[in-house]
Amino acid sequence: MQFAGSHILSVNQFQRADIEAIFAAAARMEPYAHRRRITHVLDGAILGSMFFEPSTRTRVSFGCAFNLLGGQVSETTGFEHSAIAKGESLYDTARVMSGYSDIIAMRHPEEGSVAEFAAASRVPVLNGGDGANEHPSQALLDLYTIKSEMHGRGGSIDKLRIALIGDLRYGRTVHSLCRLLSLFDGLTVHLISPKELRMPEEIVETMCNSGHDVSETEELESHIAHVDIAYSTRIQEERFGSREEADLYRGRFRLNQNIYTKNCEPNTVIMHPLPRDSRAEARELDNDLNANPNLAIFRQTDNGLLVRMALFAMILDVVEQVDSEARDVGWYTGSRY
Ligand code: CP
């Protein structure tokens, strides 16, 4: 695809070559994301960051990614701080905000809303999550992490064995990730969820039609026994009618060190898009996994910066100028990476 000037609304936009191009650009962002070099390639550019649902990682890492390329961020968080609360349409909001920004990242609780906004926008729009539908940049950073973790273990995304665990009905990250995985070859995919929270049929069909070996089950332990990746998700309480309804499913599929040691192969990578629900009644990934070197959840969040920097650089067409606008950092940077 042509990245310069494009919206990023769905992973369905990507072919395998596009993903490889994003990953190549993401790898080039490491010196900047890891605070060894500074670039000012987006000096003067403004990101409109519009988040109408709670977010820590996506909102802040889109903002930091833009800052790390030298740009400025203008934030709107929550409907209550936007004229949408006074009845303004997405169309009018998009016409206005795209006059103030060079690019926009947006999260909205309704499926299709970010695409509706993008259709009226005069600048590129990146979908930071639209209801239970899609979360393209999360899927890209998850896949980047999978590639990197598998590379470190002598494997690849092709022939990957993966278990996706939890709320597969409302979890937009797993929807986007499964669509991306469909572009690869020969995967074994276990979809582990309560039957009421199964993966949407259309996505299961897409994976089956891609030749992957897909199973759906409510049983955790035997289905995490022979996988490379165990990818856990939170019960998406905000998509349920009530907290009580979400409570029916919370805590059904817990992974802790004991269950991991008893069932998983020793190198199985543990992933989660975060936030993990750490309340006692949930704990889908227990804190006792924190010392497990195969817990990749914070490598995922770090990789989010690389992937989001790559998307900005590609869409604003500055990938080749990043290094020429750079210098070494002058402050103490520690050894966090
Ligand atoms: N993974 C993710 O979307 O996290 P946030 O809700 O914190 O952005």
Side-chain angles (χ1 to χ4, degrees):
M1 67 174 272
Q2 146 117 12
F3 281 91
S6 290
H7 302 305
I8 303 293
L9 301 173
S10 163
V11 293
N12 290 336
Q13 291 171 248
F14 302 130
Q15 299 301 315
R16 204 163 152 160
D18 303 318
I19 294 167
E20 278 157 19
I22 295 167
F23 287 0
R28 290 177 65 170
M29 301 301 159
E30 262 198 37
Y32 307 100
H34 293 184
R35 314 302 201 278
R36 295 196 299 273
R37 303 271 289 161
I38 299 171
T39 180
H40 294 290
V41 73
L42 290 185
D43 186 22
I46 296 176
L47 166 69
S49 171
M50 304 182 69
F51 276 69
F52 298 113
E53 270 195 332
S55 170
T56 296
R57 276 143 290 273
T58 313
R59 179 176 59 83
V60 177
S61 71
F62 264 131
C64 288
F66 209 74
N67 291 149
L68 286 164
L69 290 166
Q72 306 291 314
V73 180
S74 164
E75 284 214 42
T76 308
T77 51
F79 288 117
E80 70 276 23
H81 295 124
S82 157
I84 291 176
K86 297 189 261 188
E88 189 163 49
S89 66
L90 276 179
Y91 177 90
D92 286 4
T93 308
R95 299 302 292 175
V96 172
M97 291 303 295
S98 55
Y100 300 160
S101 320
D102 297 282
I103 189 164
I104 292 171
M106 186 180 195
R107 173 173 290 183
H108 193 287
E110 283 166 33
E111 295 186 21
S113 53
V114 181
E116 183 188 336
F117 179 93
S121 172
R122 294 175 276 165
V123 298
V125 175
L126 291 91
N127 182 359
D130 61 326
N133 184 32
E134 280 237 28
H135 196 340
S137 63
Q138 177 73 44
L140 287 167
L141 76 87
D142 286 343
L143 197 65
Y144 188 86
T145 305
I146 291 170
K147 183 180 174 191
S148 156
E149 297 288 325
M150 292 309 295
H151 181 73
R153 291 163 176 75
S156 67
I157 304 175
D158 290 321
K159 300 199 165 57
L160 184 77
R161 303 167 302 161
I162 184 167
L164 298 159
I165 305 156
D167 182 353
L168 306 184
R169 176 178 178 190
Y170 295 121
R172 57 191 169 204
T173 71
V174 285
H175 298 168
S176 293
L177 179 58
C178 285
R179 290 184 174 117
L180 278 190
L181 289 173
S182 297
L183 297 174
F184 291 80
D185 297 324
L187 272 64
T188 303
V189 184
H190 299 306
L191 302 172
I192 306 169
S193 72
K195 64 178 183 311
E196 298 85 354
L197 302 182
R198 284 165 63 171
M199 180 70 73
E201 213 169 298
E202 162 258 318
I203 299 176
V204 177
E205 262 175 40
T206 302
M207 285 195 292
C208 292
N209 292 341
S210 305
H212 299 332
D213 183 0
V214 183
S215 68
E216 293 186 85
T217 178
E218 291 193 80
E219 204 280 319
L220 176 73
E221 298 194 359
S222 64
H223 290 91
I224 55 172
H226 303 293
V227 295
D228 303 300
I229 308 279
Y231 185 110
S232 179
T233 63
R234 177 178 64 89
I235 299 299
Q236 308 284 301
E237 181 179 335
E238 60 275 32
R239 313 269 173 245
F240 288 80
S242 66
R243 185 187 162 95
E244 290 68 35
E245 196 189 341
D247 282 341
L248 297 173
Y249 307 107
R250 222 188 299 275
R252 282 270 285 275
F253 298 107
R254 292 168 191 259
L255 192 54
N256 59 28
Q257 188 57 49
N258 185 39
I259 294 171
Y260 181 91
T261 307
K262 239 171 72 188
N263 297 283
C264 294
E265 293 174 359
N267 267 334
T268 301
V269 179
I270 307 160
M271 294 178 63
H272 192 300
L274 301 183
R276 57 177 157 169
D277 187 343
S278 293
R279 291 172 289 192
E281 64 273 26
R283 288 197 190 142
E284 62 265 4
L285 278 191
D286 203 291
N287 287 339
D288 70 358
L289 289 162
N290 288 354
N292 185 325
N294 294 307
L295 185 75
I297 56 178
F298 301 117
R299 295 193 283 277
Q300 286 173 264
T301 54
D302 287 348
N303 289 336
L305 270 185
L306 303 178
V307 165
R308 292 181 173 121
M309 288 176 78
L311 289 174
F312 285 136
M314 294 170 86
I315 294 165
L316 296 176
D317 204 13
V318 293
V319 174
E320 297 308 325
Q321 298 161 48
V322 168
D323 296 333
S324 59
E325 296 285 333
R327 64 175 167 83
D328 288 344
V329 303
W331 63 85
Y332 173 74
T333 56
S335 56
R336 73 194 106 164
Y337 298 105

